[in-house]
Amino acid sequence: VSVIVPVYNASLYIEDCLESILFQDLPSSIFQVVLFDDRSEDDSLTLMQRWKPFAEEANINVIIAQNDGSGKGCGYAKNCAVSISSGTYLCFLDADDVMLPTRLSTLLNIAESNQYQDLDLIIGSNFVR
């Protein structure tokens, strides 16, 4: 599973987002995180780079990439992140959101169950306020 996180000026939220990735109940060797910074003007990139060693210590493969030109938007950032990801499945997470600890395992179990073998897409969303 590749967790795709497009980032732009998310320094107020990114630490909570990244922390929620660390607390997934799926074994960390099964997923990777691809963070793509779309030329943030705040310290988002610094915060991601500071988080990366903690994730790697937890055996999570982390890729941090950055747009080399001017910002091109969320869709561009997602597409770039997908192109450098290696997971069989994709999970999109916005930088200002957090995941419940069971999100990845729940979606992976659904994707790999025989009941849904003919599906090409699973959309899972659960808002908690």
Side-chain angles (χ1 to χ4, degrees):
V1 177
S2 293
V3 180
I4 306 297
V5 186
V7 178
Y8 180 74
N9 289 346
S11 64
L12 294 176
Y13 316 103
I14 191 75
E15 290 177 304
D16 290 336
C17 173
L18 298 175
E19 184 175 308
S20 76
I21 295 170
L22 284 177
F23 291 113
Q24 291 300 298
D25 65 356
L26 190 68
S28 57
S29 60
I30 294 177
F31 67 95
Q32 73 172 165
V33 179
V34 183
L35 304 163
F36 191 89
D37 183 66
D38 194 28
R39 303 302 287 180
S40 292
E41 297 171 353
D42 62 6
D43 62 345
S44 295
L45 184 61
T46 300
L47 294 172
M48 292 185 290
Q49 291 168 334
R50 193 178 302 155
W51 174 79
K52 185 177 179 176
F54 294 104
E56 290 176 335
E57 187 175 300
N59 201 31
I60 299 171
N61 176 26
V62 178
I63 299 169
I64 298 175
Q66 185 179 37
N67 182 351
D68 58 3
S70 61
K72 296 185 179 178
C74 185
Y76 177 83
K78 285 180 179 181
N79 287 335
C80 289
V82 167
S83 71
I84 59 176
S85 69
S86 61
T88 301
Y89 302 105
L90 301 174
C91 176
F92 293 96
L93 176 64
D94 290 336
D96 61 348
D97 291 336
V98 296
M99 294 193 287
L100 294 174
T102 58
R103 182 180 183 197
L104 293 180
S105 62
T106 299
L107 292 175
L108 183 62
N109 286 337
I110 292 169
E112 294 189 338
S113 73
N114 289 332
Q115 181 180 4
Y116 301 104
Q117 66 187 15
D118 295 331
L119 295 180
D120 292 327
L121 175 68
I122 296 171
I123 298 175
S125 183
N126 185 17
F127 297 98
V128 177
R129 297 194 195 278

